[in-house]
Amino acid sequence: YKDPGPGMIDKMYHVKTDGIALPVRVAGLESSDVALIMTHGGPGGSSETFRFTEGIRGMEQNNKVIYWDQRASGMTQGNPSLDQITTEQYAKDLDAVVEFTRQVIGAKSIFLLGHSWGGGLTAYYLTEDPSRQNKLKGYIIVSGAYNVPGGLSASIQWIKNGANVKIAANKDVDYWKKALEFYKTNTQITADNFLEHATYLGKLNGGIYNKNHTTLKSYLPAIEISAFLSNPIFVGNNITYKGKSIYTALDLTSELYKIKLPTFVMWGKQDGLIPPHAIPGDPKGTALVEDFIANVGTDKNDVFYMEYANSAHEPMAEEGPKFATD
């Protein structure tokens, strides 16, 4: 690591928990007592990739940011068995990172920041054992997958609506008719069909909308890049919640009342992967932002919402400076 400059810190640690070693990077303002624990998505992604977005990197100017890679993800060391690729185990691992931040880093004010799948994991962490909230000052959820089947149902309808717009405009008609045929037989997104779903999503800019303003630098050698690409497939195919795939089972809506922390909800308006609001035609009528705010147990005066008009699923990359300021 390069010298981060006067008054700044950039150190790498490993936190050992249940047979593996989680890589934990601490970066930011050395004198700050505030730490934000960046919990990545995927599942199977890496917080290191978010460090090179203007939104997350920008938070380091006034705070410490704790970047960690989840089990079987990023550059985590060890060889976990399949029975450890569970939401329950990942929450236990997250608790080890929280304790590290308290005991080793000595941060006085700790905030969880969970993006996408990380939003679902952090929501589970807070609701599985609400006493964990005593260790924290607040919660930030960004495009959070706290209701995976509901969000994916909305995503299917988002793509179908987009496909119909393309067909009506006589653009790539055969391709988008093929997409509509795919969803006739794939009425639910699972680990088996997610990659094709993601391909259609990408064609409609539902993952990244503001591509011209996205700042995300690659700095990894080829061997790590290979792992960063293969891990999401492995973890996504295998991770469970209560013994079932998260794609079909992870819905924490009814558990959100247990969260009492001050909460900041951040979402890209153009998100087609986990749409923030109800999508016309979606049979489940999932409205993730409205459902979260209505069900979270935090006093509503301590729940804040910020929507990013020019972002899809990655507002920290698509509207980075604004994200960091917010």
Side-chain angles (χ1 to χ4, degrees):
Y1 299 101
K2 294 180 180 179
D3 183 349
M8 306 300 284
I9 186 175
D10 184 3
K11 291 186 176 180
M12 198 73 185
Y13 300 82
H14 281 85
V15 174
K16 294 182 179 179
T17 171
D18 290 347
I20 60 143
L22 305 169
V24 180
R25 185 175 192 167
V26 180
L29 184 64
E30 189 165 18
S31 62
S32 176
D33 287 332
V34 177
L36 299 101
I37 298 177
M38 173 65 214
T39 306
H40 66 75
S46 171
S47 286
E48 283 286 329
T49 60
F50 289 96
R51 186 162 194 256
F52 285 83
T53 65
E54 291 180 297
I56 302 299
R57 185 69 173 266
M59 295 191 301
E60 293 179 12
Q61 298 307 306
N62 299 299
N63 315 281
K64 290 187 177 77
V65 181
I66 313 298
Y67 302 90
W68 71 288
D69 286 350
Q70 297 161 27
R71 187 171 292 255
S73 304
M75 290 185 285
T76 294
Q77 304 299 300
N79 188 25
S81 58
L82 282 179
D83 62 5
Q84 292 180 324
I85 309 300
T86 69
T87 304
E88 295 82 356
Q89 177 66 58
Y90 279 44
K92 188 177 179 182
D93 294 344
L94 172 55
D95 197 51
V97 176
V98 172
E99 286 298 328
F100 161 83
T101 305
R102 294 175 68 204
Q103 297 179 35
V104 178
I105 303 306
K108 299 291 192 295
S109 299
I110 302 174
F111 295 79
L112 286 189
L113 190 157
H115 171 253
S116 192
W117 146 252
L121 173 57
T122 50
Y124 177 75
Y125 171 82
L126 296 172
T127 56
E128 181 196 32
D129 180 357
S131 71
R132 290 169 171 161
Q133 297 176 50
N134 297 330
K135 306 174 185 180
L136 304 165
K137 288 291 186 181
Y139 178 37
I140 305 165
I141 182 168
V142 184
S143 308
Y146 71 88
N147 176 1
V148 176
L152 290 176
S153 175
S155 183
I156 289 174
Q157 193 61 48
W158 188 92
I159 292 175
K160 289 167 71 174
N161 291 352
N164 283 320
V165 169
K166 292 286 189 182
I167 292 169
N170 200 33
K171 295 182 178 179
D172 299 320
V173 172
D174 291 342
Y175 180 86
W176 291 110
K177 283 185 176 179
K178 176 188 171 187
L180 293 176
E181 286 298 318
F182 170 78
Y183 291 111
K184 283 182 181 179
T185 55
N186 293 271
T187 57
Q188 187 175 40
I189 300 303
T190 66
D192 293 332
N193 59 19
F194 179 79
L195 288 179
E196 185 163 351
H197 174 72
T199 300
Y200 297 130
L201 183 78
K203 292 284 188 181
L204 292 170
N205 299 328
I208 295 179
Y209 176 77
N210 195 11
K211 294 182 179 180
N212 291 333
H213 294 88
T214 298
T215 300
L216 181 61
K217 300 176 182 177
S218 175
Y219 68 102
L220 294 168
I223 184 70
E224 278 84 3
I225 291 175
S226 175
F228 275 48
L229 293 174
S230 61
N231 286 339
I233 297 173
F234 170 75
V235 180
N237 284 347
N238 291 288
I239 193 163
T240 62
Y241 167 67
K242 294 186 176 180
K244 298 179 180 179
S245 169
I246 63 166
Y247 287 93
T248 56
L250 183 61
D251 180 2
L252 301 172
T253 307
S254 64
E255 300 295 307
L256 294 176
Y257 74 93
K258 298 176 183 177
I259 298 176
K260 307 292 185 181
L261 291 169
T263 299
F264 192 9
V265 184
M266 309 170 87
W267 226 290
K269 184 178 181 180
Q270 313 300 332
D271 194 342
L273 177 59
I274 309 176
H277 309 298
I279 300 299
D282 173 25
K284 292 190 175 182
T286 308
L288 288 170
V289 168
E290 290 81 2
D291 289 350
F292 186 94
I293 293 173
N295 286 279
V296 70
T298 305
D299 185 296
K300 294 304 181 277
N301 291 322
D302 286 328
V303 180
F304 307 91
Y305 177 56
M306 185 67 70
E307 187 163 280
Y308 294 83
N310 294 309
S311 295
H313 195 58
E314 312 282 348
M316 68 282 291
E318 299 176 74
E319 295 181 70
K322 176 173 170 50
F323 182 96
T325 300
D326 293 338

